[in-house]
Amino acid sequence: MNARQLDRKYFGRQGEPEDVVVGHSAGSYLIDSRGRKYIDFMMGWCVGNLGWGNTEIRAAARTFDGPEYVHPNYLYRPWAELAEMLAHMTPGALAVSYRTTGGTESVEAALQIAMAYTGRGSFVSIEDSYHGNSIGAMSIGASDNREKFKSLLPNCHKIETPLDARALGKVETLLKKRDVAAFIMEPIICNLGALVPEADFVRGVRKLCTRYGTLFIADEVATGFGRTGTLFACEHFGLEPDVLCMAKAITGGYGGMGAVITTSKIAKAIKGRFGMYSTYGWHPRAVAVALANLRYLSAIATRFSGTPTRWANTFLRGSPG
Ligand SMILES: Cc1ncc(COP(=O)(O)O)c(C=O)c1O
């Protein structure tokens, strides 16, 4: 059987695959099993932000010589180094990272952090947004998920676009009841065709969240690590969220990994009530690649911006120079 026939018989998918049997990837190209070259406009959908096969990052993947696996209850220096790096790269007072294996798990963890911290159970999100595939993530995603899956989380309210003054008024009406654990959105909504909300909406929601004791979760799984022209899309609005979700481009495609980061204050308050076990979260090999990827990203951001950013300045160790 050829690849297509094997795929059809054994591989679970939502729809029909493209007619490309991928052999290799290099720079901006995919090379198929017959050696034909395609420009890869998809780039893994917010994964290969630096292109494929970057020499420094590939070297980190190939030369990794650390432990096969580290149990979550042990200490592992590269975990702490990556967490420190994320604390410096992300906006505002975000400081404490939890390990995950990908975006859905990061979002799920963020919802749990908000529930543990606030003691509340309702959520507000943007109608038709996408935050992943778990029951929690689908509950805060498009309302029509409820037609496919009958028992999603209750009390998940959706704000219709456009995200303007009227939408802000609706957010306030919901938050005023003081039962909303978190408001969650992508700061630039990739999953609604790169929808850019009005800055007053984003800043207004931030203020309302603070006023009514609701956490602001920024889902930067797709927008993070340079996708929108700043390191994180929050920076376009000067937004300092309480929780920020990451995945996809954190390793540039070399390993499944995600992270959720929150403030020291929140992390301290939920200690003992929230913790991600995540067997394969931050696998040592993926961490080595993530560190190389983020150092490289720091170096080019510094080169292009001319003025080293706070995080780049601190973490240029081992960069391409
Ligand atoms: C904004 C956003 N959040 C969460 C996810 C889920 O990430 P993953 O596929 O790594 O579980 C995605 C995936 O496309 C996404 O775009």
Side-chain angles (χ1 to χ4, degrees):
M1 277 196 270
N2 65 28
R4 176 168 279 280
Q5 289 161 337
L6 275 174
D7 186 290
R8 178 155 293 160
K9 187 154 184 197
Y10 295 111
F11 195 77
R13 295 179 176 273
Q14 201 176 357
E16 279 298 298
E18 300 290 335
D19 197 18
V20 180
V21 181
V22 177
H24 299 284
S25 49
S28 305
Y29 298 100
L30 286 184
I31 297 99
D32 77 6
S33 53
R34 290 199 276 161
R36 284 178 302 199
K37 228 172 159 188
Y38 300 80
I39 299 174
D40 187 6
F41 288 108
M42 185 78 89
M43 272 296 156
W45 212 86
C46 306
V47 174
N49 288 3
L50 294 172
W52 304 128
N54 172 288
T55 317
E56 284 79 0
I57 304 164
R58 187 171 272 191
R62 293 209 169 139
T63 59
F64 174 73
D65 193 26
E68 269 67 40
Y69 180 76
V70 181
H71 184 275
N73 288 1
Y74 295 149
L75 289 166
Y76 183 54
R77 188 174 171 91
W79 281 345
E81 284 181 1
L82 179 59
E84 184 192 21
M85 199 172 208
L86 294 175
H88 283 82
M89 292 171 91
T90 49
L94 297 172
V96 180
S97 284
Y98 298 85
R99 310 165 316 126
T100 72
T101 53
T104 299
E105 203 180 330
S106 299
V107 168
E108 197 63 42
L111 301 181
Q112 291 178 33
I113 288 171
M115 291 169 100
Y117 183 71
T118 62
R120 302 173 180 180
S122 302
F123 295 98
V124 178
S125 58
I126 309 300
E127 185 58 284
D128 290 330
S129 57
Y130 179 76
H131 294 284
N133 272 312
S134 63
I135 295 294
M138 282 194 293
S139 302
I140 53 156
S143 291
D144 65 12
N145 285 335
R146 285 178 196 272
E147 287 157 28
K148 295 178 236 157
F149 303 96
K150 296 294 170 214
S151 298
L152 297 183
L153 294 181
N155 306 320
C156 292
H157 310 281
K158 310 293 158 66
I159 302 298
E160 301 269 355
T161 56
L163 301 179
D164 55 11
R166 200 154 160 256
L168 185 62
K170 287 189 190 150
V171 174
E172 176 150 34
T173 307
L174 290 163
L175 264 52
K176 256 184 186 164
K177 295 179 195 147
R178 293 184 185 268
D179 65 352
V180 177
F183 171 88
I184 177 166
M185 73 179 288
E186 292 185 272
I188 290 180
I189 309 176
C190 289
N191 289 292
L192 291 178
L195 187 148
V196 183
E198 287 186 12
D200 285 348
F201 174 82
V202 178
R203 292 185 193 131
V205 173
R206 172 64 278 184
K207 279 190 196 138
L208 293 175
C209 284
T210 306
R211 186 179 307 153
Y212 297 115
T214 294
L215 297 192
F216 193 126
I217 302 173
D219 180 352
E220 294 245 22
V221 167
T223 52
F225 305 106
R227 190 77 225 165
T228 68
T230 52
L231 193 55
F232 290 95
C234 283
E235 293 165 42
H236 294 292
F237 308 98
L239 171 65
E240 297 188 1
D242 301 299
V243 184
L244 187 143
C245 308
M246 295 165 268
K248 292 189 184 273
I250 193 168
T251 64
Y254 288 88
M257 186 198 266
V260 61
I261 189 166
T262 189
T263 63
S264 303
K265 183 182 164 205
I266 294 172
K268 206 170 154 200
I270 61 176
K271 201 159 189 153
R273 280 181 299 136
F274 170 80
M276 285 304 286
Y277 183 86
S278 192
T279 298
Y280 276 102
W282 289 24
H283 185 274
R285 185 179 297 274
V287 170
V289 181
L291 286 167
N293 179 41
L294 300 185
R295 281 181 190 129
Y296 191 90
L297 188 61
S298 304
I300 56 167
T302 305
R303 203 177 295 163
F304 284 119
S305 69
T307 51
T309 57
R310 176 173 57 100
W311 51 273
N313 220 4
T314 318
F315 288 102
L316 276 172
R317 297 178 300 226
S319 75

